[in-house]
Amino acid sequence: MKTQFVRPSVLLPVLLMVALALVPTLAGAIGAQFYIGFLARILVYALAASALNLALGYGGLIGFGHALFVGLGAYCVSLPSFFGLENGWLQLLLVLGACGLIGLLTGAICLRTRGIGFIMITLAFSQMGYFVFVSLKQFGGDDGMSIIATSRLGAGIDLGSAVPLYYTAWIILALVIVWMTRLRNAPFGMALRAARQNQARVNALGFPARRFQLIAYTISAMLCGVAGFLLANLNAYASPGLMSWQVSGELIVMVVLGGMGSVFGPLLGALAFIGLEELMKSYTEHWMLIFGPIIVLVALSGKDGLMGALLNLDRRLAGGGPSKIQGAGRAAAAPAHGAKQ
């Protein structure tokens, strides 16, 4: 375990998390408050990408519907706040309940299809949610709604403030990363990853693959809802635009950039995606003309994303050949990092 910990693929992401934990202190010391809000946004999107990675990277469920749950999480803040409910814990319970229920119902329907059918039906559910909230003119409709009173967690903690929200997002993301690390080699995680490669064989071994996928999809929906909860407090705003297919597409790009099925990949992907976006915006108004080809080149250059590059570095430092991110069909005890995504 000690040898494994000092590998670049583990050490560098851990050091990144430690560095992110120090950002509010350092930014406050030099008077650069912008970086707190900017990196808080990266942490929130990394959480949403980690949630998608559970369904996409572990379960092989390629869909465009996770923006629905991000939007639901945001509206579970704005709507209660509109009616005077500012208790963040109650809002969080509402987020988990609403996203869990909607995720369970839509997942049960979507998992009856595969491939392009699954993609289209998840997209349809997300667009349905978008048009439902667009039609709610009393709550802002297409313009969305501002959140006057942000979530309060007690003990003077108000998520409308940048620093408390930053640390809340960091702690939740850290817990999710630890949980995902343990999940990879847990029986549930191994069966889920194996079902991505060969669902029929998993069923033949006595594991209900579709049930495992439904559980993963529901948990993924709830985590995306938590990301929406944090994003609503970060922006003090909720909009139907959070449910659009573009948001789902951005999350997929983050997962692919970081490395599907890896634990730290979503964090690296969110950092690269949002960081490049912000960098391009600072240089030109036509940043999308540059940003798009960069994303395509990165995706084509390495199918395992940024984590794949770190894993290859592990192998080179150990004197071995190139490596791939551990695949779903491989045994957890295998010495290699696994199959292609």
Side-chain angles (χ1 to χ4, degrees):
M1 293 298 292
K2 291 182 179 179
T3 303
Q4 195 174 31
F5 182 77
V6 298
R7 291 178 178 178
S9 62
V10 177
L11 181 60
L12 293 180
V14 168
L15 290 177
L16 175 60
M17 285 296 292
V18 173
L20 288 172
L22 299 176
V23 164
T25 301
L26 297 176
I30 63 176
Q33 300 298 321
F34 163 78
Y35 290 102
I36 300 177
F38 174 66
L39 290 170
R41 181 167 169 252
I42 290 178
L43 291 175
V44 170
Y45 273 94
L47 176 60
S50 296
L52 176 61
N53 189 42
L54 176 60
L56 173 60
Y58 284 31
L61 303 176
I62 305 174
F64 274 82
H66 275 65
L68 170 64
F69 307 112
V70 176
L72 281 176
Y75 273 99
C76 284
V77 176
S78 62
L79 291 177
S81 177
F82 180 81
F83 291 104
L85 179 60
E86 304 171 10
N87 189 305
W89 296 109
L90 293 179
Q91 291 174 353
L92 186 58
L93 285 176
L94 183 60
V95 168
L96 296 175
C99 292
L101 179 60
I102 299 298
L104 181 64
L105 294 176
T106 59
I109 297 172
C110 294
L111 285 170
R112 294 179 176 273
T113 63
R114 293 185 182 181
I116 190 66
F118 184 86
I119 294 174
M120 295 307 297
I121 198 169
T122 53
L123 175 61
F125 277 123
S126 183
Q127 290 303 105
M128 285 171 58
Y130 172 81
F131 286 114
V132 165
F133 282 94
V134 164
S135 67
L136 298 178
K137 302 300 182 183
Q138 65 272 36
F139 300 117
D142 192 29
D143 295 327
M145 57 189 304
S146 298
I147 301 173
I148 299 175
T150 48
S151 304
R152 304 180 188 279
L153 301 180
I157 301 175
D158 184 354
L159 294 184
S161 300
V163 174
L165 185 136
Y166 185 96
Y167 281 121
T168 301
W170 187 93
I171 290 170
I172 294 174
L173 178 61
L175 291 175
V176 168
I177 287 174
V178 171
W179 177 71
M180 294 281 279
T181 302
R182 298 178 64 87
L183 179 67
R184 282 185 63 86
N185 295 326
F188 174 81
M190 293 172 67
L192 180 65
R193 292 187 289 129
R196 183 187 65 190
Q197 297 292 333
N198 194 321
Q199 186 171 334
R201 183 173 295 178
V202 172
N203 288 327
L205 291 173
F207 296 99
R210 182 177 292 180
R211 186 184 304 170
F212 284 10
Q213 289 174 332
L214 179 58
I215 293 172
Y217 188 87
T218 304
I219 295 174
S220 178
M222 295 168 72
L223 289 176
C224 270
V226 174
F229 166 82
L230 294 171
L231 192 60
N233 281 286
L234 177 63
N235 299 329
Y237 179 74
S239 166
L242 291 173
M243 300 181 184
S244 67
W245 67 269
Q246 290 96 330
V247 175
S248 293
E250 289 176 356
L251 294 179
I252 291 174
V253 171
M254 291 177 194
V255 173
V256 173
L257 275 178
M260 290 191 299
S262 63
V263 174
F264 286 104
L267 172 60
L268 299 179
L271 185 62
F273 183 91
I274 299 177
L276 278 173
E277 179 183 13
E278 192 67 27
L279 182 63
M280 293 296 101
K281 284 180 179 178
S282 65
Y283 282 99
T284 175
E285 295 180 357
H286 308 289
W287 61 273
M288 284 186 283
L289 292 176
I290 304 173
F291 188 55
I294 290 176
I295 296 298
V296 173
L297 288 175
V298 171
L300 292 176
S301 63
K303 203 171 182 180
D304 291 329
L306 298 174
M307 277 303 298
L310 290 179
L311 290 171
N312 286 334
L313 180 59
D314 287 350
R315 297 285 293 188
R316 291 191 180 95
L317 292 177
S323 174
K324 296 290 185 180
I325 291 175
Q326 188 176 15
R330 304 281 181 152
H337 286 285
K340 294 182 180 180
Q341 297 301 321

